Amino acid sequence: MKIIKTKNYQDMSRKAANIIAAQVIQKEDSVLGLATGSTMLELYDDLVSRYRAGDLDFSKIRSVNLDEYLGLHPSNPQSYRYYMDQNLFNNINIPVENTYLPKGMVDDADMECAAFDALIESLGGIDLQLLGLGLDGHIGFNEPGDAFIKESHCVLLNPSTIKANSRFFEHEDDVPRHALTMGMGAIMKAKAVLLCVNGKAKAPILKQVLYGPITPRV
Ligand code: GLP
C-alpha cells in the first residue's frame, strides 16, 4: 500500500487523475471501477479536461460502478447513473454501452446483483478500482457489519449514511433506504485500488482504515 498525502482537495484530485490517466494510456481497454460522491467531482472534471485536450481516449474503456440506490430511475438526478452521465460519461468518448452500474429499477435485487457479478467476471475483473470512503467506514455501500460480504448485494443503509447523503436530496425522507453494491470480492480482486479521502470530517475514520484492525466494521 502506498499513501499519497496531498496539499488539498485540488491536489488530491489532480494526483488521482494522474493515476487513472496512466491506466487509460497504458491499457486502452482497461476495466475501470468507478465511484460516485462529492469526493470524485473534481477528479472527473480533470479527466474530462484531459480528454478535451486530446490526451486521453476512452473509446475502448469499459467501466463498472460500485453502487446504485434501489428504486431510483436513471433519469432521477439523485441516481448514480445520472451522476456518472452528467459528471463523466457524457463528456468523454466512452461508449455508453460500455458503462455499467447496478440497475436500481429492478423487481428482483438479488438477481440483478448476481448478474452484476457475472458481468464483472465476463469483463475479466477490474484493472483499477476507484473508491471513496463513507463517514462510517463504508466503501461502495458495504456498510459496517459482522462479516465481509463477497458478492454484490442489496444493503439496508445505515442511518448515518442516510443522514450524510441527505445533503443531495430535498428531504432526508427522500433518500432511498436500500442500495445495490458491489461486494468485497470484486473490489479485493481488482488489480489495483485507488482510495480517495478528503476533508477533516473523515480524519478519524481514515485513521481507523489505515492503522486500525482489519474488520468488516471498517
Ligand atoms: C456514498 C457512496 C460511496 C462514497 C461515499 C462518500 O455513500 N456510496 O461510494 O464513497 O458516499 O461520499 P462523498 O465523497 O460525498 O463523501
Side-chain angles (χ1 to χ4, degrees):
M1 179 169 70
K2 183 173 178 187
I3 301 173
I4 304 172
K5 202 172 158 191
T6 63
K7 284 201 288 282
N8 51 33
Y9 176 63
Q10 286 70 29
D11 193 30
M12 179 200 76
S13 304
R14 200 180 62 255
K15 285 175 174 154
N18 285 343
I19 292 169
I20 296 177
Q23 177 70 42
V24 170
I25 291 166
Q26 283 177 351
K27 189 178 174 202
E28 59 181 7
D29 62 347
S30 290
V31 177
L32 297 181
L34 297 176
T36 52
S38 49
T39 306
M40 307 306 164
L41 288 172
E42 191 152 323
L43 154 58
Y44 289 152
D45 258 8
D46 194 318
L47 291 176
V48 170
S49 303
R50 291 174 201 229
Y51 162 70
R52 289 190 175 140
D55 291 333
L56 290 179
D57 175 13
F58 292 88
S59 61
K60 297 199 177 76
I61 294 291
R62 284 84 45 83
S63 73
V64 285
N65 258 79
L66 284 165
D67 44 20
E68 179 59 283
Y69 287 114
L70 187 64
L72 292 198
H73 192 268
S75 63
N76 185 317
Q78 311 308 337
S79 75
Y80 286 165
R81 164 50 80 178
Y82 189 93
Y83 170 107
M84 289 309 299
D85 287 347
Q86 292 297 311
N87 293 302
L88 187 65
F89 301 149
N90 290 349
N91 308 316
I92 58 174
N93 66 335
I94 191 166
V96 68
E97 61 274 19
N98 289 355
T99 66
Y100 304 95
L101 284 89
K103 293 188 187 74
M105 294 295 291
V106 285
D107 292 331
D108 190 332
D110 291 342
M111 204 196 271
E112 171 59 14
C113 287
F116 193 64
D117 281 338
L119 168 90
I120 297 171
E121 281 287 311
S122 74
L123 295 173
I126 298 163
D127 289 302
L128 175 61
Q129 177 64 56
L130 179 63
L131 294 177
L133 182 64
L135 276 173
D136 63 357
H138 70 232
I139 54 176
F141 268 134
N142 288 275
E143 294 282 40
D146 296 330
F148 291 113
I149 304 179
K150 198 173 144 204
E151 293 83 18
S152 294
H153 55 282
C154 182
V155 65
L156 175 66
L157 299 176
N158 260 352
S160 71
T161 299
I162 292 170
K163 200 171 171 37
N165 291 4
S166 67
R167 67 191 193 278
F168 301 111
F169 292 78
E170 209 168 318
H171 302 290
E172 197 171 313
D173 288 349
D174 298 337
V175 185
R177 271 32 189 175
H178 291 89
L180 306 182
T181 184
M182 195 187 285
M184 294 304 293
I187 296 173
M188 294 307 290
K189 269 203 259 169
K191 296 187 185 84
V193 166
L194 175 61
L195 173 73
C196 295
V197 186
N198 80 287
K200 276 194 189 135
K202 290 189 184 167
I205 190 66
L206 181 61
K207 189 174 172 197
Q208 285 188 60
V209 168
L210 295 177
Y211 305 112
I214 295 171
T215 149
R217 300 243 137 245
V218 179

